[in-house]
Amino acid sequence: QVQLVESGGSLVQAGGSLRLSCATSGFMFRINHMGWFRQAPGKQRELVADISSSGTTNYADSVKGRFTISRDNAENTVYLQMNSLKPEDTAVYYCNLRTRLFDWGQGTQVTVSS
């Protein structure tokens, strides 16, 4: 069975930093293209960043220069380092395949105060 377990979210002041983790199991992690997504209340779930099996990264314009996605294939884990956080980054953050193939996990809440 596929497991996607996000962690690391919390309440943080604007300008602060957080590192999110996504621990995965049940599939061939190292050959898959992974993504971080977020969903704010009343909004569509959007792709924030993704990382290919070879380590190539891509970012949404809204987070470019502030967020960094990375992966540890030995631990089947993908990370999202978030710096210079803004109130508009407030959302529940999820990980999944870039294709969104798997069921969504519970996500982790990130709240950025003004």
Side-chain angles (χ1 to χ4, degrees):
Q1 77 286 32
V2 172
Q3 297 283 325
L4 305 169
V5 182
E6 301 93 346
S7 62
S10 72
L11 173 65
V12 64
Q13 291 184 318
S17 297
L18 288 172
R19 189 181 75 156
L20 308 184
S21 298
C22 174
T24 78
S25 61
F27 67 101
M28 293 182 181
F29 177 85
R30 71 175 186 85
I31 66 169
N32 275 284
H33 194 144
M34 302 299 298
W36 279 99
F37 305 79
R38 68 186 182 189
Q39 188 168 32
K43 298 288 190 179
Q44 295 277 345
R45 202 189 312 261
E46 64 175 346
L47 179 66
V48 173
D50 61 84
I51 183 166
S52 74
S53 60
S54 63
T56 300
T57 59
N58 184 68
Y59 300 92
D61 288 343
S62 59
V63 308
K64 199 168 296 179
R66 300 188 297 120
F67 290 11
T68 303
I69 189 171
S70 61
R71 65 193 296 158
D72 185 341
N73 288 339
E75 298 295 330
N76 297 333
T77 300
V78 60
Y79 301 96
L80 187 68
Q81 178 67 46
M82 306 187 295
N83 299 325
S84 302
L85 282 161
K86 304 174 179 180
E88 52 261 46
D89 296 319
T90 295
V92 178
Y93 285 71
Y94 303 86
C95 64
N96 209 328
L97 300 185
R98 171 64 177 83
T99 61
R100 310 184 183 210
L101 179 65
F102 297 144
D103 292 342
W104 299 101
Q106 71 173 18
T108 186
Q109 176 72 51
V110 172
T111 302
V112 184
S113 63
S114 303

